[in-house]
Amino acid sequence: MNASATGEMVGAILILAGAIMAVVSAIGVIRLPDVYTRSHAGTKSATLAVLLTLTGTFIYFWLADHYISIRLILGIVFVFLTAPVAGHLIARAAYRSKVPLTETSVEDELKKVLEEENYNEPDLTESERKEKEDG
């Protein structure tokens, strides 16, 4: 087995693993109960799926055709850096918009942090603080 055939095999396995992770991600987005867990499924496993697929494609073209694609490298870097940040910001915006957690959630650690943030604003009076909390 030469390097070209090995490259094709490794690329195909990575692309197949990426496709399986994409299916797992889609099932997670459909089946999970609230926006926070769906965001987790949509960013973590979907990012891994895209990264596996792009890496498999890069390896295939590199070893089979001796072609190094800068676009694939940029795609890998761009997805790796932006998808988790976007998922975090979506979950944060949902939390600050008071989207409720699922009933099965055990603990809300962010609530304590935000209460301390609001409490430590010395320029607000008690009535202004209540107005801000009520929206």
Side-chain angles (χ1 to χ4, degrees), residues 63-134:
L63 296 176
D65 295 342
H66 304 292
Y67 174 73
I68 294 177
S69 175
I70 300 300
R71 289 181 183 168
L72 286 173
I73 294 172
L74 288 174
I76 291 168
V77 170
F78 183 74
V79 169
F80 183 74
L81 293 176
T82 59
V85 174
H88 173 76
L89 291 176
I90 290 169
R92 183 181 171 124
Y95 190 85
R96 290 197 178 252
S97 299
K98 299 188 182 354
V99 175
L101 295 165
T102 184
E103 295 83 25
T104 59
S105 294
V106 178
E107 188 175 352
D108 184 5
E109 293 179 3
L110 191 56
K111 185 175 183 179
K112 298 172 194 170
V113 173
L114 290 179
E115 285 175 355
E116 288 176 7
E117 260 182 30
N118 290 337
Y119 183 74
N120 291 331
E121 294 178 1
D123 57 336
L124 295 179
T125 63
E126 188 64 34
S127 62
E128 290 173 335
R129 197 173 290 124
K130 284 185 179 182
E131 286 178 16
K132 185 177 180 181
E133 289 176 1
D134 293 338

Side-chain angles (χ1 to χ4, degrees), residues 49-68:
V50 171
L51 290 177
L52 285 171
T53 304
L54 290 177
T55 303
T57 306
F58 176 78
I59 289 173
Y60 173 80
F61 284 122
W62 181 31
L63 296 176
D65 295 342
H66 304 292
Y67 174 73
I68 294 177

